[in-house]
Amino acid sequence: MKLNNKGWGTMEMLILSGCLLVALLVAIFFISRLYASFGKNMTNNYLNLETKLVDAGKKYVKDNKIEIDDTFKISSEILILDGYINDLKDNNNELCTGYVKINNINNHLDYQGYIKCNNYQTNNYNE
C-alpha cells in the first residue's frame, strides 16, 4: 500500500502551531503595554493637578505670611479667586475641586494636595 505524502504532517503542524503561539504572545504583550500606558497617563494628569495645587498653596502661605501651628487647609476655590491657579481641569476638560492641607511637623511645613474629579479622588480626601 502506497501513502500520499503531499499533505500536512505532524512536524509541519507543530511548527505552524509554534509560530501562531509566538505571534499571539507578542500581540498580548503589546496590547497590555498599550492599556497600561492609558492608565498611567490619566494618573500622571491627576498627580500634576495635585502638584499644581501644592505649589499654589506654598505661594499663598508665603505671600500672606500665614503662621501655621498645627494644621491648615486652603481650598482650591480660594486659590483660584486670589489668582494663584487658573483652574483645575483633568484630561477630559472637566473641572475638579480640591484643597491643600498643610501640617506643621517639628517646625517643618508638610504640604499635601487633595483633588476630587468625576473619575478620580485622592486617597484620604475629606470635604
Side-chain angles (χ1 to χ4, degrees), residues 94-111:
E94 296 177 7
L95 286 174
C96 301
T97 60
Y99 62 90
V100 179
K101 184 177 179 182
I102 307 159
N103 294 316
N104 188 343
I105 303 171
N106 297 328
N107 292 325
H108 173 73
L109 297 180
D110 179 44
Y111 293 83

Side-chain angles (χ1 to χ4, degrees), residues 27-92:
I28 289 171
F29 173 74
F30 283 113
I31 289 171
S32 67
R33 285 189 59 193
L34 176 67
Y35 280 112
S37 69
F38 287 147
K40 194 179 291 183
N41 287 341
M42 291 299 288
T43 304
N44 284 341
N45 177 45
Y46 295 123
L47 291 175
N48 288 339
L49 289 177
E50 290 171 1
T51 303
K52 180 179 174 181
L53 198 60
V54 167
D55 292 341
K58 286 179 182 179
K59 289 178 188 176
Y60 182 85
V61 168
K62 183 180 177 184
D63 291 349
N64 294 302
K65 298 178 178 117
I66 298 173
E67 294 292 325
I68 300 168
D69 295 327
D70 187 30
T71 301
F72 185 72
K73 283 186 181 179
I74 308 167
S75 69
S76 60
E77 289 83 14
I78 291 173
L79 295 172
I80 291 170
L81 288 174
D82 289 349
Y84 287 93
I85 54 176
N86 293 331
D87 54 13
L88 290 174
K89 289 187 178 180
D90 62 5
N91 281 344
N92 298 329

Side-chain angles (χ1 to χ4, degrees), residues 42-43 46-47 50 90 96 115-123:
M42 291 299 288
T43 304
Y46 295 123
L47 291 175
E50 290 171 1
D90 62 5
C96 301
I115 61 169
K116 182 178 180 181
C117 303
N118 287 341
N119 300 324
Y120 177 82
Q121 179 174 318
T122 307
N123 291 336

Side-chain angles (χ1 to χ4, degrees), residues 8-18:
W8 285 89
T10 306
M11 187 57 106
E12 289 86 3
M13 193 60 172
L14 288 175
I15 291 172
L16 179 63
S17 297

